[in-house]
Amino acid sequence: MSYTVGQVAGFAGVTVRTLHHYDRTGLLAPSERSAGGYRLYGETDLARLQQILFYRELGFALDEIAEILSDPQANAPDLLRARRRTLREQIDRLERLVEVADRAMEVQETGVRLTPRERFEVFGEITFDLSYATEAEIKWADSAGHQEAMARAAAHSQEDWACLMGEAAAWRERLLAAFDAHEPADGQQARALADEHRRHIGRWFTDCPPAMHLRIADDFVTDARAFALVVPPSQQRPGLARYLWEAVRANADVRADADALAEAGGGGGGGRSGRGHGDAEGKAKAEGETHGGVRCEC
């Protein structure tokens, strides 16, 4: 039995235009023609269309479907396994998005509520990009450090946030001053600022070893949304994100060298790494007493 284009479109749930496109590309050419030259589809054509629609539902591109149908035994299993992996990754991502949405609703229901004016007074120009926060939540969902940081952030009071942001603003002023003064990114002052930022994260969110701090700083040079959480756009300068990243890297290198010397039984302070570590530690202790330049009684 044969069927017209309109009949096939009706019971297959596709448009006539789609069937014409399949015909033009050679993916599904009707095997028969009527006396008037109209397309007619036979049982074999319908079976092929069913296969095409099956693979389309799984997300395969038309050229991939054509490849599968041209040699099903050779190509289908590998392509289906690859598609399954992709679908599983998409499912995992969607499940994490559901968790993010659930967590966001919990924060809205139980978190500290701020009026727009209070929010501006606390955060100023620092804004939290929802898309970046969601991506970070998905990226670090399995990280114990991230989970601790989110839990501690949720527990902060309005006073805590005001203290935290004041501390960050004072640190930012010193960072901008060092950058504008062309202090070298791997110099003592820039390294001390980088270490101060690292300890700021540890005080307010989660323990931040140098290696972890460097991973955080990687986002500063690759994602403007991440750097905007540290320096608002109105205060940014060309090259500032890279400058901070280089300072974080230099600080991580110095601390790693110092740790290696300590493990080896050294510690005489000789060499660049030993001096840098000692200088940074001395400044760190002094700054730690005032939480980065702002004395907080939080």
Side-chain angles (χ1 to χ4, degrees):
M1 187 173 181
S2 300
Y3 303 89
T4 65
V5 173
Q7 289 175 316
V8 173
F11 57 67
V14 298
T15 65
V16 170
R17 185 176 181 179
T18 295
L19 292 174
H20 286 171
H21 177 69
Y22 289 171
D23 186 8
R24 286 194 302 272
T25 59
L27 184 61
L28 177 64
S31 56
E32 302 174 31
R33 292 276 177 173
S34 68
Y38 294 104
R39 297 174 176 86
L40 293 176
Y41 293 84
E43 296 297 334
T44 302
D45 301 327
L46 295 182
R48 183 178 176 88
L49 176 60
Q50 187 175 31
Q51 288 182 295
I52 293 170
L53 297 179
F54 166 74
Y55 288 116
R56 284 293 288 159
E57 185 68 19
L58 289 177
F60 284 92
L62 293 182
D63 56 346
E64 292 177 315
I65 296 173
E67 182 182 356
I68 292 172
L69 297 183
S70 67
D71 190 359
Q73 296 302 318
N75 298 313
D78 290 342
L79 290 171
L80 282 171
R81 277 192 287 269
R83 178 58 56 184
R84 184 186 185 282
R85 286 195 298 271
T86 300
L87 291 172
R88 172 48 60 189
E89 291 171 359
Q90 292 173 349
I91 290 170
D92 291 343
R93 182 177 183 278
L94 290 173
E95 288 177 345
R96 288 184 175 181
L97 280 174
V98 170
E99 293 176 3
V100 171
D102 289 342
R103 201 166 303 164
M105 288 187 291
E106 290 175 3
V107 170
Q108 289 296 321
E109 294 170 359
T110 63
V112 177
R113 295 182 182 276
L114 302 177
T115 66
R117 180 174 180 176
E118 290 171 335
R119 188 176 297 277
F120 180 78
E121 289 175 351
V122 170
F123 296 107
E125 295 181 74
I126 300 294
T127 58
F128 295 87
D129 187 294
L130 181 59
S131 64
Y132 177 73
T134 301
E135 290 172 16
E137 180 68 26
I138 294 172
K139 181 179 179 181
W140 302 109
D142 297 329
S143 165
H146 178 75
Q147 293 171 7
E148 179 190 2
M150 293 300 97
R152 289 179 62 183
H156 289 336
S157 65
Q158 181 179 342
E159 291 74 19
D160 290 334
W161 280 112
C163 185
L164 183 162
M165 295 304 291
E167 178 182 318
W171 170 84
R172 188 162 54 247
E173 287 182 8
R174 294 193 298 279
L175 173 69
L176 294 173
F179 180 80
D180 292 341
H182 304 290
E183 292 287 343
D186 60 350
Q188 176 185 338
Q189 185 173 347
R191 294 200 315 271
L193 285 165
D195 202 62
E196 185 182 339
H197 181 261
R198 182 184 67 83
R199 289 181 287 108
H200 170 88
I201 295 172
R203 269 192 303 279
W204 292 104
F205 299 104
T206 186
D207 183 49
C208 186
M212 177 180 174
H213 193 211
L214 187 54
R215 289 196 298 274
I216 293 172
D218 285 342
D219 279 355
F220 297 163
V221 292
T222 60
D223 196 323
R225 299 170 301 174
F227 191 55
L229 294 176
V230 180
V231 180
S234 66
Q235 298 181 35
Q236 292 180 14
R237 282 90 153 134
L240 180 60
R242 182 76 183 184
Y243 178 83
L244 179 55
W245 178 83
E246 290 178 353
V248 169
R249 182 183 61 177
N251 181 60
D253 289 344
V254 166
R255 295 184 68 85
D257 290 347
D259 290 344
L261 283 174
E263 290 179 3
R272 179 186 64 81
S273 298
R275 289 195 302 273
H277 177 66
D279 293 338
E281 286 299 299
K283 190 171 182 63
K285 291 178 181 178
E287 290 170 344
E289 296 172 357
T290 58
H291 290 294
V294 176
R295 186 170 295 280
C296 297
E297 305 298 335
C298 303

